[in-house]
Amino acid sequence: VIGNNTYRDAGFAPLKSAASDATAVSTVLRDRYGYQTSLLLNAGRLEILTALNDMREKLGPQDNLLIYYAGHGEIDASRQGYWIPVDASAGNAKTWISNAAISDVLNTMAAKHVLVVADSCYSGAMTRASVPNFNAATMAPEQWATWVRTMANGRSRTALTSGGVQPVPDGGAGGHSYFAKAFLNVLGDNNRVLEAQRVFREVQTSVALNAAKSPLPQAPQYAPIRYAGHESGEFF
């Protein structure tokens, strides 16, 4: 779980809520869902890449991984998206972390299911075509159980992003961004098996309602990650 507020280069303005968003997400995943969590606040490029590589080395086929990133994002002329570590230099993409680099790590990881949750500008550049939509509310119990078993057996690499290929607002309400607040509320209110598609639908609705007062429009997205080895399946 990564939250970057304070950047060394003046070209990246300080952010208001990324660190508090990441801290709250780490807490709810650990305390309510039993995840083993690693929290990185104001992390540099080497620290982030090392943490991702550590997960690649540690996790096996029966493991699942959720990666949460809150911080600055950028996009270049080729539409390549980037996460911005706190030691990055403005205008120098070699000091950033590209979506391609993240995809390469995820593609070689043995973990069966990986979900990236990214709250940053241009985060939608990470994804490709949308996943088929299944809504448990419209399924009979036996259909739902069959779908869960099928999706749990497939290898998945998906991303829930706070927006598309455009800037998103920093800050919101209660010390959290609109997206992070919605994500935390969904996790906090849940009391059964929770599929990532339902997280997306509820976050999307909440952000649409609460971000109406924001100066920037925001439309969360959920889709497979480009070139990361997604086959089928879903994150639960």
Side-chain angles (χ1 to χ4, degrees):
V1 180
I2 305 159
N4 286 347
N5 268 4
T6 306
Y7 286 81
R8 300 174 192 172
D9 191 316
F12 296 111
L15 296 177
K16 300 173 184 176
S17 61
S20 62
D21 293 344
T23 301
V25 167
S26 179
T27 298
V28 74
L29 289 174
R30 182 190 67 231
D31 294 350
R32 197 163 198 272
Y33 289 88
Y35 278 53
Q36 297 177 32
T37 61
S38 176
L39 178 62
L40 307 180
L41 298 179
N42 298 315
R45 188 173 189 274
L46 180 60
E47 187 178 5
I48 294 172
L49 291 175
T50 298
L52 293 175
N53 191 61
D54 285 347
M55 291 296 100
R56 174 167 57 182
E57 294 178 352
K58 291 177 182 177
L59 300 182
Q62 301 308 311
D63 293 317
N64 297 323
L65 174 65
L66 189 153
I67 301 168
Y68 185 94
Y69 172 75
H72 275 301
E74 287 287 350
I75 194 168
D76 63 18
S78 67
R79 311 295 281 179
Q80 171 75 266
Y82 297 85
W83 291 355
I84 306 300
V86 296
D87 54 358
S89 298
N92 184 0
K94 292 181 180 179
T95 65
W96 309 345
I97 299 174
S98 70
N99 289 344
I102 297 166
S103 293
D104 285 345
V105 173
L106 301 185
N107 191 29
T108 58
M109 193 175 282
K112 182 171 285 187
H113 302 290
V114 178
L115 173 65
V116 173
V117 182
D119 188 4
S120 65
C121 295
Y122 312 110
S123 54
M126 175 173 280
T127 60
R128 55 182 175 85
S130 60
V131 295
N133 185 36
F134 293 87
N135 190 339
T138 65
M139 292 184 185
E142 62 274 12
Q143 291 176 310
W144 165 246
T146 299
W147 182 78
V148 168
R149 284 194 295 269
T150 301
M151 292 298 101
N153 286 329
R155 172 182 162 98
S156 68
R157 300 287 187 271
T158 54
L160 170 62
T161 64
S162 60
V165 189
Q166 66 272 330
V168 295
D170 172 39
H176 296 298
S177 73
Y178 295 111
F179 175 83
K181 185 66 173 177
F183 183 66
L184 289 164
N185 285 344
V186 174
L187 295 184
D189 293 342
N190 176 58
N191 58 8
R192 63 178 179 87
V193 172
L194 177 62
E195 71 279 18
Q197 288 192 37
R198 181 157 65 93
V199 177
F200 162 64
R201 288 194 298 271
E202 295 188 13
V203 165
Q204 184 182 47
T205 300
S206 177
V207 167
L209 292 172
N210 293 315
K213 300 170 287 212
S214 169
L216 293 173
Q218 186 171 5
Q221 298 184 1
Y222 177 65
I225 299 170
R226 293 176 185 269
Y227 315 122
H230 177 82
E231 296 172 0
S232 63
E234 172 73 307
F235 193 94
F236 295 93

